[in-house]
């Protein structure tokens, strides 16, 4: 299954920052989780429970304690021990290695000004990640620039999306899906937006 197909199943990705949020994400209608905190052990337990429910798990490697966010070997642990479907990282060498070993590779970018926009687009064009996560996700102009420039790479809008109107605006700008921590948005479907 392509990552585009996997992300398009449900417009909202549960951004999980605690074990309690993980439990709620498992019970929600969302098809995918972005794990943004915790220990390697806790993430492994969450990934196992998510797999049992048919949900995808993508790990922000820089935010999980117990895994190195610089060593390529951490990706093998994500794949084989934790059972993650993919990694989310701003690091080019980890994107390349994740793709090489069969993990989905999501390039995480902070787009805070025109220089960051230009550099991010250039990096994404050269790396060809499976998806690009853009922060903040509440800026339709930036989402549109990535969606227009990289039409074959899914765009995940992340950060500062607090309500259904902002979620709909991000999707209408070209986002494939949204990573949100606001639990009240996790049940939203394409029909709702």
């Amino acid at each position: 299954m392509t990552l585009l197909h996997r992300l398009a199943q449900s417009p909202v990705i549960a951004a999980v920052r605690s074990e309690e949020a993980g439990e709620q994400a498992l019970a929600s209608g969302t098809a995918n989780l972005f794990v943004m905190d915790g220990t390697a052990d806790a993430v492994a337990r969450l990934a196992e429970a998510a797999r049992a429910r048919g949900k995808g798990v993508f790990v922000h490697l820089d935010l999980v304690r117990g895994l190195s966010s610089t060593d390529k070997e951490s990706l093998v642990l994500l794949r084989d021990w934790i059972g993650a479907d993919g990694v989310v990282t701003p690091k080019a060498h980890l994107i390349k290695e994740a793709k090489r070993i069969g993990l989905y590779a999501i390039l995480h970018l902070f787009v805070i000004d025109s220089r960051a926009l230009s550099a991010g687009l250039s990096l994404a064009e050269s790396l060809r990640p499976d998806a690009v996560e853009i922060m903040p996700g509440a800026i339709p102009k930036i989402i549109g620039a990535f969606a227009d420039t990289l039409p074959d790479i899914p765009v995940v809008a992340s950060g500062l999306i607090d309500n259904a109107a902002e979620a709909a605006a991000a999707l209408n700008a070209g986002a494939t899906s949204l990573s949100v921590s606001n639990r009240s948005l996790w049940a939203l479907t394409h029909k709702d937006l």
Side-chain angles (χ1 to χ4, degrees), residues 36-49:
M36 303 173 65
D37 196 7
T39 63
D41 285 359
V43 174
R45 288 190 301 274
L46 177 61
E48 182 178 9

Side-chain angles (χ1 to χ4, degrees), residues 3-4 7-8 10-11 153-157 170-171 174-178 190:
L3 187 56
L4 174 60
L7 294 177
S10 173
I153 296 178
V155 174
V156 178
L171 291 171
T176 304
S177 56
L178 319 165
H190 289 288

Side-chain angles (χ1 to χ4, degrees), residues 93-105:
H93 73 285
L94 295 178
I95 293 292
K96 291 176 186 176
E97 182 66 9
K99 289 180 71 158
R100 189 187 74 75
I101 68 168
L103 283 172
Y104 289 120

Side-chain angles (χ1 to χ4, degrees), residues 8-141:
Q9 291 175 358
S10 173
V12 178
I13 299 166
V16 175
R17 293 189 174 117
S18 69
E19 288 188 47
E20 176 197 356
E23 291 173 21
Q24 287 185 318
L26 292 173
S28 77
T30 187
N32 296 291
L33 287 68
F34 276 12
V35 181
M36 303 173 65
D37 196 7
T39 63
D41 285 359
V43 174
R45 288 190 301 274
L46 177 61
E48 182 178 9
R51 276 192 312 279
R53 290 171 175 82
K55 295 179 185 285
V57 175
F58 302 85
V59 178
H60 273 266
L61 189 57
D62 297 60
L63 303 176
V64 174
R65 296 177 305 285
L67 296 173
S68 169
S69 64
T70 58
D71 296 339
K72 294 188 297 187
E73 293 78 11
S74 289
L75 297 172
V76 173
L77 290 173
L78 273 183
R79 184 191 66 196
D80 297 345
W81 179 60
I82 291 177
D85 295 284
V87 63
V88 183
T89 180
K91 296 179 174 78
H93 73 285
L94 295 178
I95 293 292
K96 291 176 186 176
E97 182 66 9
K99 289 180 71 158
R100 189 187 74 75
I101 68 168
L103 283 172
Y104 289 120
I106 301 174
L107 179 63
H108 177 80
L109 297 172
F110 292 98
V111 184
I112 58 172
D113 59 20
S114 59
R115 180 178 251 166
L117 172 61
S118 178
L121 285 168
S122 178
L123 183 61
E125 284 180 310
S126 69
L127 286 176
R128 306 300 300 168
D130 295 302
V132 177
E133 180 187 37
I134 301 168
M135 289 189 81
I139 304 176
K141 175 181 174 180

